[in-house]
Amino acid sequence: MGNRLVRMGIDVGGTHTKAVAIDNATYETIGKSSVKTTHDDRYGVAAGVVKAFQNCLRENDIAPEDVIFVAHSTTQATNALIEGDVACVGVLGMGPGGMESFLAKHQTRLKDIDLGSGRSIRIKNRYLSDSEEDEDTVRKAVKELKAEGAQVLVASDAYGVDDIAGEQFVFEIAHDEMGMETTVASDITKLYGLTRRTRTAAINASILTKMLNTANSTEESVRKAGVEVPLMIMRGDGGVMGSLMYLRASNGVCFEVGGTTTNIGVIKNGRPAIDYSVVGGHRTYISSLDVRVLGVAGGSMIRVNKSGVHDVGPRSAHIAGLDYAGFTDEDEIVEPRLEFFSPKEGVPEDYVAIRLKSGKRITVTNSCAANVLGLVTPKDFSYGNVNAARKAMQPIADYLHTTVEDVAAQILTRAYEKIEPIIMELDDKYRLEHDQISLVGVGGGATSLIGFCANKMNIKYGVPENAEVISSIGVALAMVRDVVERVVPNPTPEDIRSIKREAVDKAVESGAAPGSAEVHIEIDPQTSKLTGNRIPSPFIWTAPGGRRS
């Protein structure tokens, strides 16, 4: 392949893990590869990352030494919180002693954090006054927290925003000396609000061990493949950030449809909408893309009762281990029979499977319905075998005394009923003009849902080239974003210059090229909050049938 230098981006979705190779000079897509996400492998999703990476090298004749950059995007942190796969957190609060200790002790003493799914982050608490902060007392407190079950530690000082020395002292003993993974609250945010700052640090700490294990096993495997360049591991929104550059997006609703979930976010004035994350009903200081994650996507299975198709998702065909009807060989679909089942313990038993004469079971999804209704074309990633989908859906139509087309319309309508309120909520929150909204469809399942939803809402939409791997392309382009926030009453020009410098320094420390950083400054006069946001440069994308803005 000559001297062509290559950037590799790998994105882990609920259903597929996709790798893309990009020409470093031209940003041309050289090749792409996809494997099923390896949820159940003993190495977890890292196994699929490596498999997709190695396949992409082999299938496109790319030599390992030509790869100059590898980035991997993961939603594992989000998934860990949703599924409750988190560590028990020991919180070591610090602050004044005596009568003054009451408030600081109360604000750093966290209750278990409800994750809204019947799961929670378990919290163990200790408090040390300033006068008690010596090596022996810190060691004793850490040992007690570990004895109570704490697997990771948070150090949170009442004065940590202005003086990090106390928290750093605990880190050096707990992490460096005692080997316990430790999060320093003031490393997470420099905003005031002791309870919220402590809670944010506890959420971060709860997923720390899992993320480090994944990062280490992925890096080890990439090294074994012969690639020696640094591996960047990005948050799940890293791909969306990078795809702004590829799409040249200005205004619109980003509609990313995978096999298991749909992510919906807003792009306004060339930048993604950003807000603080909410976990278990509590606002945090975790600044991230304001993206809503829905359990309805291209591979979502359907639920049926005598009245019709009454729900779609959140369980997907991949999670249930079943093939889509629309991606099954038509010759296999002989004497199809409708069956109802529960794909997982504790899940309703009215999900649909289709039993074939061979004994094999397949299932019906949103993608199958879109194929039946002619909403996808042969060039689309979600295009399948229309006749196979029709034959598999016939038993459902017979059960409901209706037509296959009506069943398909019911399926997509149930999906639309979940998606439409989210788009309208974001429309209202970010004051988008309804006649100027356009849906930007990305992800492998985009064409299964975007046209149906956009037509129902009477809004424009578009699906760009390489939509099915846009997040992997975004990861390969690796846009590094960092946010620096401070409470500064009446900020002076020097305060603004200082926060700009800090935002650039943080971005470079995270891997951004020096000189590439652009900083966007926001001043909130009500809270005196000064925000320095290192962002990707704003690019322009022309919406289909719309104006450039």
Side-chain angles (χ1 to χ4, degrees), residues 419-430:
I419 291 166
E420 188 266 352
I422 301 301
I423 293 175
M424 295 313 298
E425 179 191 335
L426 290 168
D427 171 24
D428 183 59
K429 179 176 180 178
Y430 292 102

Side-chain angles (χ1 to χ4, degrees), residues 137-433:
T137 311
V138 170
R139 281 194 204 99
K140 180 172 180 287
V142 173
K143 286 178 181 176
E144 288 174 353
L145 287 167
K146 287 181 77 169
E148 289 183 25
Q151 298 159 289
V152 291
L153 189 74
V154 165
S156 184
D157 192 324
Y159 306 119
V161 169
D162 303 308
D163 183 0
I164 200 173
E167 294 178 352
Q168 193 61 41
F169 179 67
V170 170
F171 181 88
E172 288 166 2
I173 294 172
H175 180 272
D176 297 349
E177 179 188 317
M178 302 177 71
M180 192 173 191
E181 292 298 346
T182 302
T183 293
V184 172
S186 297
D187 267 355
I188 304 295
T189 179
K190 289 292 197 298
L191 292 179
Y192 294 108
L194 184 54
T195 299
R196 192 161 157 189
R197 192 166 77 243
T198 307
R199 185 187 301 117
T200 302
I203 293 167
N204 180 79
S206 75
I207 58 174
L208 195 57
T209 305
K210 189 175 185 68
M211 296 304 295
L212 287 172
N213 287 342
T214 298
N216 291 335
S217 59
T218 303
E219 182 169 33
E220 181 185 345
S221 301
V222 169
R223 295 288 167 264
K224 286 180 181 175
V227 176
E228 297 300 327
V229 295
L231 171 71
M232 177 179 281
I233 297 190
M234 306 174 73
R235 265 190 343 203
D237 59 16
V240 182
M241 291 291 291
S243 64
L244 285 175
M245 179 175 177
Y246 187 80
L247 293 174
R248 302 180 176 230
S250 179
N251 289 294
V253 175
C254 187
F255 188 80
E256 183 181 16
V257 186
T260 304
T261 58
T262 292
N263 303 325
I264 302 176
V266 168
I267 302 163
K268 191 167 185 180
N269 300 326
R271 300 187 182 105
I274 293 170
D275 203 352
Y276 292 127
S277 298
V278 176
V279 177
H282 297 294
R283 289 182 71 78
T284 71
Y285 282 139
I286 302 169
S287 180
S288 64
L289 297 191
D290 191 4
V291 172
R292 311 302 161 87
V293 182
L294 302 181
V296 56
S300 296
M301 297 190 298
I302 68 171
R303 297 172 60 196
V304 169
N305 57 27
K306 282 292 185 183
S307 65
V309 178
H310 69 91
D311 199 7
V312 175
R315 300 298 164 190
S316 69
H318 178 54
I319 298 300
L322 300 178
D323 290 338
Y324 299 25
F327 298 150
T328 301
D329 190 317
E330 185 182 348
D331 293 338
E332 283 191 64
I333 304 182
V334 178
E335 297 179 15
R337 297 196 324 272
L338 172 63
E339 290 185 358
F340 295 107
F341 79 113
S342 171
K344 193 175 180 182
E345 190 177 343
V347 171
E349 297 181 351
D350 56 359
Y351 279 92
V352 163
I354 303 297
R355 176 81 65 175
L356 307 180
K357 185 179 181 180
S358 64
K360 178 181 177 179
R361 290 199 314 169
I362 59 176
T363 194
V364 171
T365 67
N366 279 320
S367 291
C368 302
N371 274 275
V372 165
L373 294 179
L375 299 177
V376 290
T377 65
K379 65 179 176 57
D380 296 323
F381 186 79
S382 53
Y383 183 74
N385 188 311
V386 176
N387 288 335
R390 289 185 61 87
K391 285 170 72 174
M393 288 169 65
Q394 189 62 53
I396 306 171
D398 294 342
Y399 179 78
L400 297 175
H401 306 292
T402 186
T403 64
V404 167
E405 288 79 8
D406 181 54
V407 172
Q410 286 188 44
I411 292 169
L412 293 184
T413 300
R414 297 294 88 78
Y416 166 75
E417 288 167 354
K418 292 184 172 184
I419 291 166
E420 188 266 352
I422 301 301
I423 293 175
M424 295 313 298
E425 179 191 335
L426 290 168
D427 171 24
D428 183 59
K429 179 176 180 178
Y430 292 102
R431 295 183 173 87
L432 302 174
E433 296 293 334

Side-chain angles (χ1 to χ4, degrees), residues 17 62 73 83 113 125 151-152 156 159 255 271 450 508:
T17 295
I62 299 168
S73 173
E83 296 162 11
I113 300 172
N125 294 278
Q151 298 159 289
V152 291
S156 184
Y159 306 119
F255 188 80
R271 300 187 182 105
I450 191 169
V508 170

